[in-house]
Amino acid sequence: MTYFLDFDMTLFDTRRFLPYLFAKPACAGLSVPPFVELARDLATLVGAGKLSFAEGELAQFLYPDVAAFVETHPCVIVTAGPVMWQAAKVANALPGVRAIYTDDAPKGPFVEEAAAGTPGPVFFVDDRPGQLNSVRDACPAAAIFEMRRDDADAQSTYPVVRSLSELAEPR
């Protein structure tokens, strides 16, 4: 069994992280909307060496259930967005956990390729319906779950989980 997990809003509390990020001098003047442009700007800052994080600095933004789950289950992070920016966050918050960076491409083909080399069932968890559908189309045998950390209603037809611990429970 392998768990393929989205990063932002599944493992990492991006909403709580943004005010912290914007308080950094390198990020003065940046704002959230539109998110795609913000992520590109942040990738540029990281690539230029103007934005960096102390070792483990971002672990404080992981949801409370994440560290124990990734230590006790075979997990692969699958994250979209500018690779330089996503890699800076993932490597800092969860060093040593395997990660796949899809840039702006749908996650399905990446999960399909990675899942071919893993034993047992495949679980995929993401908060974005488009990514859930992409994995469903590429890996029809995968168990797919919508993560709702914000307690909002489901945005798709997939089973909703609000914590990774729900994945480890018998269904």
Side-chain angles (χ1 to χ4, degrees):
M1 170 177 317
T2 303
Y3 295 90
F4 290 87
L5 306 169
D6 171 52
F7 187 70
D8 291 298
M9 302 306 295
T10 297
L11 304 178
F12 190 78
D13 191 343
T14 308
R15 286 188 184 102
R16 199 165 54 85
F17 171 63
L18 288 175
Y20 179 87
L21 177 68
F22 292 148
K24 291 192 164 282
C27 298
L30 296 179
S31 61
V32 176
F35 188 77
V36 171
E37 288 179 21
L38 171 64
R40 286 187 192 128
D41 291 344
L42 293 167
T44 299
L45 289 172
V46 167
K50 295 179 180 178
L51 177 61
S52 62
F53 304 100
E55 185 177 329
E57 181 179 351
L58 302 185
Q60 65 183 308
F61 299 103
L62 294 172
Y63 289 103
D65 60 329
V66 171
F69 190 88
V70 300
E71 288 173 10
T72 57
H73 297 82
C75 296
V76 178
I77 297 169
V78 185
T79 187
V83 174
M84 181 92 48
W85 173 236
Q86 292 304 104
K89 291 187 302 180
V90 170
N92 188 280
L94 287 167
V97 178
R98 181 177 169 208
I100 298 170
Y101 302 97
T102 69
D103 200 14
D104 292 328
K107 294 177 182 178
F110 293 89
V111 172
E112 177 185 33
E113 181 178 336
T118 62
V122 169
F123 287 69
F124 178 72
V125 184
D126 202 304
D127 63 310
R128 297 180 56 209
Q131 296 292 6
L132 299 170
N133 292 337
S134 171
V135 171
R136 178 206 58 215
D137 293 346
C139 305
I144 299 175
F145 298 89
E146 178 182 346
M147 178 59 81
R148 293 275 36 110
R149 295 284 191 175
D150 56 8
D151 290 327
D153 292 335
Q155 296 179 0
S156 70
T157 59
Y158 301 99
V160 170
V161 294
R162 299 188 186 282
S163 168
L164 295 174
S165 63
E166 294 178 46
L167 297 172
E169 296 172 2
R171 295 198 167 269

